Amino acid sequence: MPELPEVEALAHFLREHAVGRVVARIDVASLSVLKTFDPPITAAHGREVTDVGRHGKHLDVSLGDLHLVMHLARAGWLRWSDELSPKPLRPGKGPIALRVHLGGPGFDLTEAGTKKGMAVWLVRDPNDVASVATLGSDAATLSRDDLAELLAGRTERLKNAITDQRLIAGIGNAYSDEILHTARLSPYATAGRLDDDALDRLHEAMVTVLRDAVDRSVGQEAARLKGEKRSGLRVHGRTGLPCPVCGDKIREVSFADKSFQYCPTCQTKGKPLSDRRMDRLLK
């Protein structure tokens, strides 16, 4: 799933390549991806791209007084082309859900797999999108004191708290693993019970992990961002491999449709976390 660093890099890429161009037309190949009908998607035709921004993990392409807001979800991606085919898309054929023609060049929104979650809205105000209006503080600009205030009194696990977009916007499954590993904190720690030292480590890890990922990603071609993300991860997706800090084996906790990774030595005082799926298999 694209998270804050990748979405920031995509916004930067589109500012360089799309701003100043005019939307010739938008083809919708998957009706389920388009979440709004007023204004109609055709209202974007003939409008100039004036800016591209980010709200949490949402991309926002400004078209004058309209906004094309996109959330790539778990398996979505943006694919740029310097020369798009002028042929209309065939609904339901292939991974392309939506295509934006910019007078020759343009971009496709693609989504892999059968579980579809990608969403596109054409709105007059980004806050007309419910998932934008309810976003919490952006992780890229969150101060240490603000973080402490947000977590105070919360009883959920720390992993869940820092990935709750209504609390902190921009962090997903992968970068939360990286942040917690860097901060030497357990994913199962209670969010509202961190002492001052743990809060200091958590905030510093958020700043450094996200900043370093943005620095690696911004300026990359859109097609290279997925590989850049994977190459920079130290624990996420590395189950069974040695921890780059202590050499212990990276462990995994699995859920119905996702998993997270951590280092027992660095984060949980050497104790493996309970994995309900594995516990059931061992019974």
Side-chain angles (χ1 to χ4, degrees):
M1 176 187 290
E3 300 178 37
L4 186 156
E6 294 77 47
V7 177
E8 184 65 40
L10 287 172
H12 182 274
F13 180 89
L14 289 178
R15 282 194 294 271
E16 290 190 334
H17 291 79
V19 168
R21 297 187 181 275
V22 173
V23 176
R25 76 172 194 270
I26 298 177
D27 296 336
V28 181
S30 173
L31 292 178
S32 65
V33 78
L34 187 60
K35 305 302 182 183
T36 51
F37 62 88
D38 180 26
I41 198 67
T42 53
H45 297 177
R47 289 177 174 265
E48 180 182 337
V49 178
T50 54
D51 196 10
V52 183
R54 177 185 63 79
H55 310 285
K57 294 186 282 187
H58 299 69
L59 269 173
D60 178 5
V61 177
S62 297
L63 305 170
D65 58 352
L66 294 181
H67 296 261
L68 187 69
V69 179
M70 300 165 280
H71 189 277
L72 299 176
R74 187 171 184 179
W77 196 246
L78 185 148
R79 187 171 68 193
W80 176 267
S81 177
D82 290 331
E83 191 64 41
L84 282 176
S85 170
K87 295 180 180 179
L89 295 175
R90 297 175 61 189
K93 300 293 183 180
I96 301 174
L98 182 140
R99 173 171 286 173
V100 178
H101 295 264
L102 297 171
F107 61 87
D108 293 326
L109 297 185
T110 65
E111 188 168 23
T114 57
K115 188 175 181 180
K116 305 300 183 183
M118 189 165 60
V120 177
W121 302 263
L122 184 65
V123 292
R124 296 174 180 87
D125 186 321
N127 284 315
D128 291 339
V129 178
S131 54
V132 171
T134 58
L135 285 174
S137 301
D138 194 85
T141 59
L142 192 62
S143 72
R144 189 271 188 203
D145 289 344
D146 288 340
L147 176 63
E149 184 176 346
L150 287 174
L151 296 182
R154 301 193 70 91
T155 59
E156 71 265 51
R157 290 170 173 171
L158 185 55
K159 167 85 174 179
N160 295 338
I162 66 173
T163 56
D164 183 347
Q165 300 305 295
R166 297 165 298 178
L167 186 68
I168 300 172
I171 300 172
N173 193 31
Y175 287 112
S176 61
D177 285 356
E178 300 300 302
I179 288 166
L180 293 174
H181 178 257
T182 300
R184 309 188 307 283
L185 292 171
S186 169
Y188 284 1
T190 302
R193 294 182 180 175
L194 301 182
D195 60 23
D196 286 343
D197 179 63
L199 281 167
D200 289 342
R201 299 199 313 270
L202 178 61
H203 182 259
E204 178 64 21
M206 287 176 60
V207 170
T208 56
V209 168
L210 294 176
R211 181 190 60 210
D212 291 350
V214 169
D215 288 346
R216 290 195 310 270
S217 301
V218 168
Q220 297 281 354
E221 294 290 327
R224 298 179 59 184
L225 285 173
K226 287 184 180 180
E228 187 61 43
K229 178 178 182 177
R230 285 192 295 268
S231 69
L233 298 176
R234 304 198 305 173
V235 293
H236 184 78
R238 292 174 55 88
T239 303
L241 297 175
C243 169
V245 174
C246 72
D248 192 3
K249 183 170 69 175
I250 299 296
R251 306 292 184 94
E252 175 176 294
V253 174
S254 301
F255 299 93
D257 61 347
K258 64 181 180 180
S259 63
F260 71 80
Q261 288 77 42
Y262 68 100
C263 170
T265 295
C266 292
Q267 296 175 255
T268 60
K269 299 180 180 179
K271 182 180 178 181
L273 298 175
S274 176
D275 183 344
R276 292 180 181 178
R277 188 170 72 175
M278 289 303 298
D279 291 346
R280 287 197 298 269
L281 291 174
L282 293 173
K283 285 181 179 180

